Amino acid sequence: EVQLVESGGGVVKPGGSLRLSCAASGFIFTGFSMHWVRQAPGRGPEWVSWISGSTTSIYYTDSVKGRFTISRDNAQNSLYLQMDSLRADDTAVYYCARDLSAYSYDYWGRGTLVTVSS
Amino acid sequence: QSALTQPASVSGSPGQSIAISCTGTSSDVGAYNYVSWYQQHPGKAPKLIIYDVSNRPSGVSSRFSGSKSGNTASLSISGLQAEDEADYYCSSYTTSSTGLFGTGTKVTVL
């Protein structure tokens, strides 16, 4: 059974940092590219970042470029999102999601809540 | 990039058919056959119901179908059921190698 479990969310002050993790199981992790998708309270999902299975390709949405870093450890079946210089508008539930076909997301975790507030 | 445009709400009676549109541009929806659709119930993660415009993942009801014409994609739900009441989002791959979601549509079963 495919499982994705996010962790690392919490409350942080503006300008602070957090590192999110996503533990994957039930599939060949290296065979799939992965995404981070976030959803602010009461809003729709927003794509954040993508990383290829081999880690050779990475993309970000414009609003997080230079502040967020996606990475993965294929030996540990884990996906990460390092978030620096956090802003209030980064407040959201952050989901990791598996890529099925060109940015379609077939499995999602339950999400981890990030709140940026002073 | 601005979110893909969806109607805010669509409603129908049980057994009826409804359709939800998703309008983008030639840089996203119109560029590739990489449009997907998601169903989201309150407090839950989105669930993939259509990928690559018209393909259904295993286990998704055949009552859900997708299509695309130009810069507009559509999701159709036939034989509307109470359990279909949820928020629906489209998503597209873009020419910038990024992802783009729609504004979302609340489906109400009357």
Side-chain angles (χ1 to χ4, degrees):
Chain A
E1 178 194 6
V2 172
Q3 284 199 329
L4 298 171
V5 180
E6 302 93 341
S7 61
V11 180
V12 62
K13 288 181 167 50
S17 298
L18 276 178
R19 188 190 194 214
L20 306 184
S21 300
C22 171
S25 61
F27 64 102
I28 308 298
F29 188 62
T30 56
F32 291 84
S33 56
M34 298 292 295
H35 301 264
W36 287 100
V37 176
R38 67 185 178 184
Q39 188 166 23
R43 306 286 297 273
E46 178 189 19
W47 176 82
V48 174
S49 183
W50 170 87
I51 185 169
S52 64
S54 61
T55 76
T56 53
S57 294
I58 286 173
Y59 291 99
Y60 300 97
T61 192
D62 285 346
S63 64
V64 309
K65 280 181 186 174
R67 300 188 301 121
F68 289 12
T69 303
I70 192 172
S71 63
R72 62 191 293 165
D73 182 338
N74 287 337
Q76 298 293 324
N77 289 347
S78 294
L79 176 72
Y80 305 101
L81 186 67
Q82 176 67 41
M83 304 187 297
D84 300 318
S85 302
L86 282 161
R87 312 184 307 216
D89 63 358
D90 294 317
T91 293
V93 174
Y94 284 73
Y95 296 98
C96 66
R98 192 179 80 166
D99 188 283
L100 173 63
S101 169
Y103 288 50
S104 63
Y105 321 101
D106 63 344
Y107 285 95
W108 300 60
R110 298 181 72 173
T112 186
L113 176 62
V114 172
T115 303
V116 184
S117 175
S118 54
Chain B
Q1 276 176 303
S2 299
L4 307 174
T5 301
Q6 299 180 232
S9 62
V10 173
S11 62
S13 299
Q16 286 188 329
S17 297
I18 62 170
I20 301 169
S21 61
C22 169
T23 301
T25 69
S26 57
S27 296
D28 37 69
V29 173
Y32 312 103
N33 287 326
Y34 293 140
V35 175
S36 50
W37 289 89
Y38 302 84
Q39 177 191 63
Q40 187 176 32
H41 288 108
K44 301 292 189 181
K47 173 189 175 184
L48 177 68
I49 54 174
I50 295 288
Y51 68 98
D52 294 354
V53 173
S54 60
N55 293 318
R56 275 188 314 275
S58 175
V60 172
S61 171
S62 59
R63 298 185 299 103
F64 295 95
S65 62
S67 62
K68 192 189 86 166
S69 178
N71 296 338
T72 299
S74 296
L75 172 72
S76 296
I77 309 175
S78 62
L80 201 61
Q81 299 179 1
E83 68 208 48
D84 299 332
E85 187 161 293
D87 294 324
Y88 290 80
Y89 297 94
C90 61
S91 178
S92 177
Y93 181 58
T94 79
T95 54
S96 300
S97 298
T98 59
L100 188 62
F101 279 92
T103 51
T105 299
K106 182 176 181 60
V107 169
T108 301
V109 181
L110 301 171

